[in-house]
Amino acid sequence: MYGDDATVRKILTESGDTWAVVGLSSNRQRAAYGVAQVLQRFGKRVVPVHPKTETVHGEQGYASLADIPFDVDVVDVFVNSDLAGGVADEAVAKGAKAVWFQLGVVDEDAYARTRAAGVDMVMDRCPAIEIPRLA
């Protein structure tokens, strides 16, 4: 388990409400689309990060984390594990308070680097599953 319940709770309730969702597009069949909807229902601002830079769920998309012209609190990662470590490094560089790797996304080296940088991190869990449990 990468991220205990206390860390999950902290990220969902204390880390802030602006979530950059890396891999979010307008494709309704992708998990990121539904998870972003759940996050919005629970009061989170969801910022799509995808090479297509589409507007999704009413929010302007950006090609990369570095392109977002404002601070983000949490970076939620929906990319393959082999790409996820680079995203975690970008999240730390962007000043995010937390990084969340979705179900099936695991990079132990990225987890160690991110935690060593003082940034909270959860891997292989889904906020859409966890957030309703807090209510």
Side-chain angles (χ1 to χ4, degrees):
M1 185 69 71
Y2 304 99
D4 55 63
D5 287 341
T7 302
V8 168
R9 178 177 295 280
K10 180 180 177 189
I11 292 171
L12 291 172
T13 63
E14 300 173 25
S15 293
D17 291 333
T18 301
W19 285 53
V21 181
V22 179
L24 175 58
S25 72
S26 60
N27 183 344
R28 294 173 183 263
Q29 305 305 312
R30 304 289 300 181
Y33 190 89
V35 170
Q37 281 184 311
V38 171
L39 290 170
Q40 281 186 323
R41 271 200 306 274
F42 281 88
K44 307 300 182 189
R45 178 183 183 191
V46 172
V47 181
V49 179
H50 192 280
K52 292 182 184 175
T53 66
E54 301 172 302
T55 296
V56 184
H57 300 310
E59 288 285 347
Q60 169 65 47
Y62 298 91
S64 71
L65 290 173
D67 291 337
I68 301 173
F70 48 84
D71 292 339
V72 296
D73 300 310
V74 180
V75 176
D76 190 5
V77 182
F78 280 93
V79 299
N80 293 330
S81 295
D82 58 340
L83 301 174
V87 176
D89 295 338
E90 291 173 30
V92 170
K94 177 79 177 160
K97 297 174 190 152
V99 175
W100 192 299
F101 282 10
Q102 283 295 315
L103 291 172
V105 180
V106 175
D107 181 331
E108 292 181 7
D109 291 337
Y111 184 83
R113 286 193 311 273
T114 302
R115 298 290 295 149
V119 176
D120 289 326
M121 186 165 179
V122 170
M123 286 196 306
D124 197 27
R125 290 177 85 165
C126 180
I129 294 170
E130 303 296 338
I131 202 168
R133 296 183 335 142
L134 301 177

